Amino acid sequence: ACFLLACNNAETSSSDAAAASDSVNIQYAYTLEHPVDNWRPGDLNNIAVAMNALKAWENDDLAGSLNYFGDSIHFSTDDFDAKVSKDSLMKMMSPYRNEMSSLKITMHDCESVKSIDGKDEYVSLWYEQHWTDKAGKSYASYEMDDLKIANGKIIGLDTKSRRLPGSAK
């Protein structure tokens, strides 16, 4: 039994070494600002911050959602990219949320990462959003959010959306 375990460990070590040496020889089509392996698992508490902000949004509590944000936020979405104050973000998002009579979020996946140098931390959320507007039309979209977190607060929100088939136009 010891011999078999030793053989299995040797195989694992060999395959890990081969994978490491292969990655050194990979030629990428684009040059990155940082190494390909720049990211490590991040603080799981950051996922709670991101999800709590989203849950408050789902529950029609925009002020509660913004409690998880810093005073200044880099906000990016379709056709918009700017650094705004929390108050400005509230003014921008209120009309959008007020158009909804109901909202349901189904979370699919999430990830928290931290850069090797410790300067950047992000949470990524992948989820579906189903809502009905005040006129009774139903919509559904697949969302992907990248949230930059610093000192337990969201300081960056980059959101991407794709309308799901069958959703109102």
Side-chain angles (χ1 to χ4, degrees):
C2 290
F3 175 74
L4 291 175
L5 288 174
C7 289
N8 284 340
N9 287 340
E11 284 179 24
T12 301
S13 298
S14 299
S15 63
D16 289 348
S21 70
D22 286 347
S23 66
V24 172
N25 298 321
I26 295 173
Q27 297 296 314
Y28 296 103
Y30 299 95
T31 302
L32 299 172
E33 295 176 17
H34 50 75
V36 172
D37 63 349
N38 185 55
W39 302 101
R40 299 291 179 256
D43 186 344
L44 298 180
N45 289 311
N46 290 339
I47 293 174
V49 168
M51 284 188 178
N52 288 337
L54 185 61
K55 188 64 171 178
W57 167 261
E58 179 183 18
N59 291 336
D60 199 14
D61 181 9
L62 185 54
S65 178
L66 291 175
N67 283 334
Y68 295 95
F69 284 74
D71 293 332
S72 179
I73 302 100
H74 186 162
F75 180 53
S76 300
T77 191
D78 191 29
D79 203 28
F80 184 85
D81 184 24
K83 193 168 193 173
V84 299
S85 69
K86 189 187 309 192
D87 291 339
S88 294
L89 188 59
M90 171 74 100
K91 289 175 187 170
M92 291 169 54
M93 299 308 290
S94 288
Y96 176 65
R97 185 60 181 91
N98 289 337
E99 290 176 5
M100 299 177 186
S101 63
S102 68
L103 173 63
K104 174 68 178 144
I105 290 176
T106 304
M107 188 62 57
H108 289 291
D109 208 348
C110 62
E111 180 177 37
S112 177
V113 296
K114 184 175 188 172
S115 61
I116 290 172
D117 62 11
K119 292 180 181 177
D120 295 311
E121 293 189 60
Y122 287 90
V123 169
S124 295
L125 303 175
W126 294 270
Y127 59 95
E128 285 181 37
Q129 185 170 259
H130 297 262
W131 72 99
T132 303
D133 68 14
K134 301 256 170 126
K137 284 187 177 178
S138 293
Y139 301 86
S141 61
Y142 191 80
E143 306 287 326
M144 197 282 171
D145 295 342
D146 287 315
L147 300 100
K148 187 171 186 177
I149 312 278
N151 301 316
K153 295 288 187 176
I154 299 165
I155 62 166
L157 172 58
D158 183 356
T159 184
K160 284 99 30 213
S161 183
R162 175 179 59 88
R163 200 160 283 184
L164 294 173
S167 183
K169 296 189 188 240

